[in-house]
Amino acid sequence: MKLPTHDAAAREIPEESSHRVVLPRRTPVAPLRQVARRLLMALLVLVATVAIVWIDRDEYHDNANGSVDFLDCVYYATVTLSTTGYGDIVPYGDGARLLNILLITPLRVLFLIILVGTTLEVLTERTREQWQLNRWRNALRDHTVIVGFGTKGRSAAQTLRATGLTRDRIVIVDPSPKVIDSAVAEGFAGVVGDATRSDVLVRAEIQRARQVVIATQRDDTAVLVSLTARQLNKKANIVAAVREEENAPLLRQSGADMVITSASAAGRLLGLSVHSPSAGTVLEDLIQQGSGLDLIERPVVKAEVGKSVRETDDLIVSVLRGHRLLGYDDPAASPLQAADRVITIVRAASAEQQDGPTKPGVKPMIPGTGVSPMAPVRRDD
């Protein structure tokens, strides 16, 4: 199988657009609206200055005719706020000079800030983004990196969200800036770049990630991403999707812990749905987290230790004991041990339970179990 150095989608983006980390942000204000707001603020400052000068116009002197009318007040306010200051109209009274010090000078400074507001805003925005980025990197631990945000990657993110993983614990990596913008709009952090390059994955803090989901469009790209990810993180649980069954062994050799053949899985579901539509509906419900019935993996709770598989409240279909996966009808599966993990079928949580607020530091519970979702097994080698 030919292994290109870059994904095909990555060649379509310019070099300066790659290697960017994009964090979720508030909806920006339209440029025309920002300009209109600044012009209005500048006009209000000008009107306030004209009013101050007009009220105290008797203490101003015009070198042309000695008196100051309304037009002279507007003229004086304009040249004063713009710091031009021709000197043809000057305050000679103590009150006028005091007002210049206390009111007009601060208004002049405010007017200048509005004029250079664009530059200041850019500097402030860049400083804020850099501060947020540093804070995000320092706080990111045991997160999930999803490489590719197409149909498979988006579905994987939705499933992770349904199992209780928050958006700030998911990082999306994709070579397309438009795709990353879409992910950021949904509340995920994103990294623009080719995931076959180690520096791009490092920007996603993959070296501290707990899980990596590889959902690229090409099998050869998935192999390269898996190799790079495993080199950077020896203990992460890597799950990858491939289109062709023949590429699955190569992907496992490259470091993937679990390989899902998307074309074969879809074909099996199609065949099952043709032979038994009801069974196909149930299976689709099981793999769609958050609705109907959910197929979940969790640790054995204290009350279940010593019981038979059939004596538990949940419908247990398999027991994971060490590295052995035992079926529910396997005599060795019973009794349950404290170190076991079980794969069960439970009723999905309601929308209110999924979207309701949780206390800080409290993990979401699996419905019907009273335990938190099971974390993926970390590699020891």
Side-chain angles (χ1 to χ4, degrees):
M1 181 177 63
K2 185 178 180 181
L3 300 178
T5 55
H6 297 283
D7 196 358
R11 303 191 193 103
E12 301 176 0
I13 62 173
E15 184 67 22
E16 60 271 13
S17 299
S18 61
H19 315 306
R20 285 192 301 116
V21 178
V22 185
L23 300 180
R25 64 179 63 183
R26 296 178 299 176
T27 303
V29 182
L32 292 179
R33 188 173 179 181
Q34 294 185 24
V35 172
R37 184 174 59 185
R38 290 175 182 173
L39 289 177
L40 180 60
M41 293 175 61
L43 183 60
L44 291 177
V45 172
L46 179 61
V47 170
T49 306
V50 172
I52 293 173
V53 177
W54 173 254
I55 293 173
D56 205 28
R57 61 187 179 278
D58 294 336
E59 296 191 6
Y60 284 82
H61 178 74
D62 187 356
N63 294 334
N65 53 20
S67 62
V68 175
D69 55 16
F70 181 75
L71 181 60
D72 293 332
C73 292
V74 176
Y75 167 76
Y76 176 79
T78 303
V79 299
T80 300
L81 291 179
S82 62
T83 67
T84 305
Y86 293 112
D88 48 353
I89 299 179
V90 295
Y92 67 89
D94 294 339
R97 293 179 178 179
L98 184 61
L99 288 177
N100 265 265
I101 296 174
L102 299 179
L103 296 179
I104 296 181
T105 298
L107 289 174
R108 182 188 300 117
V109 175
L110 179 60
F111 190 82
L112 292 176
I113 291 176
I114 294 174
L115 291 180
V116 298
T118 302
T119 302
L120 292 177
E121 184 176 359
V122 169
L123 293 176
T124 303
E125 182 70 15
R126 288 184 178 179
T127 302
R128 184 181 66 85
E129 288 181 353
Q130 187 63 39
W131 177 79
Q132 284 186 337
L133 183 59
N134 293 335
R135 181 183 177 186
W136 171 76
R137 284 175 172 168
N138 293 333
L140 202 59
R141 295 289 189 283
D142 293 335
H143 57 289
T144 299
V145 177
I146 298 180
V147 180
F149 202 61
T151 302
K152 293 179 291 186
R154 191 181 300 272
S155 299
Q158 292 174 352
T159 301
L160 290 171
R161 290 278 297 119
T163 57
L165 193 64
T166 57
R167 288 186 176 89
D168 59 345
R169 313 306 301 173
I170 299 176
V171 181
I172 308 298
V173 181
D174 198 278
S176 172
K178 292 182 179 180
V179 172
I180 292 300
D181 291 340
S182 175
V184 171
E186 297 182 23
F188 302 109
V191 178
V192 181
D194 180 10
T196 61
R197 301 180 58 172
S198 58
D199 55 341
V200 174
L201 293 180
V202 168
R203 289 178 180 268
E205 300 296 325
I206 198 172
Q207 64 274 17
R208 296 186 296 190
R210 180 184 293 270
Q211 305 166 126
V212 180
V213 178
I214 303 176
T216 57
Q217 299 297 323
R218 296 166 56 101
D219 291 357
D220 47 11
T221 304
V223 172
L224 290 175
V225 174
S226 180
L227 284 169
T228 308
R230 181 56 71 199
Q231 181 184 14
L232 296 173
N233 192 328
K234 303 296 184 182
K235 297 183 179 181
N237 181 47
I238 300 179
V239 179
V242 294
R243 292 178 177 271
E244 303 298 334
E245 185 73 34
E246 61 182 9
N247 295 328
L250 181 59
L251 197 55
R252 292 188 182 94
Q253 294 177 8
S254 66
D257 298 290
M258 176 67 68
V259 179
I260 306 298
T261 307
S262 56
S264 299
R268 295 187 187 100
L269 184 57
L270 287 173
L272 179 62
S273 299
V274 171
H275 181 264
S276 178
S278 298
T281 302
V282 173
L283 183 57
E284 186 178 6
D285 180 29
L286 288 175
I287 62 177
Q288 184 177 357
Q289 294 287 325
S291 63
L293 298 175
D294 282 349
L295 185 66
I296 57 97
E297 183 177 342
R298 63 170 178 83
V300 172
V301 298
K302 186 176 181 180
E304 296 173 337
V305 177
K307 289 185 177 180
S308 170
V309 170
R310 301 181 185 274
E311 295 176 349
T312 60
D313 295 333
D314 291 340
L315 180 58
I316 298 178
V317 295
S318 294
V319 177
L320 179 63
R321 181 168 298 157
H323 295 284
R324 298 173 59 197
L325 187 62
L326 308 174
Y328 73 95
D329 56 346
D330 192 325
S334 299
L336 294 175
Q337 302 177 9
D340 289 345
R341 293 184 173 92
V342 292
I343 293 87
T344 68
I345 297 177
V346 299
R347 176 65 60 181
S350 62
E352 291 78 7
Q353 291 174 322
Q354 292 179 11
D355 299 333
T358 57
K359 295 181 180 180
V362 179
K363 297 181 179 180
M365 298 298 177
I366 297 174
T369 64
V371 297
S372 301
M374 188 203 73
V377 181
R378 302 291 293 267
R379 292 172 63 100
D380 295 329
D381 52 357

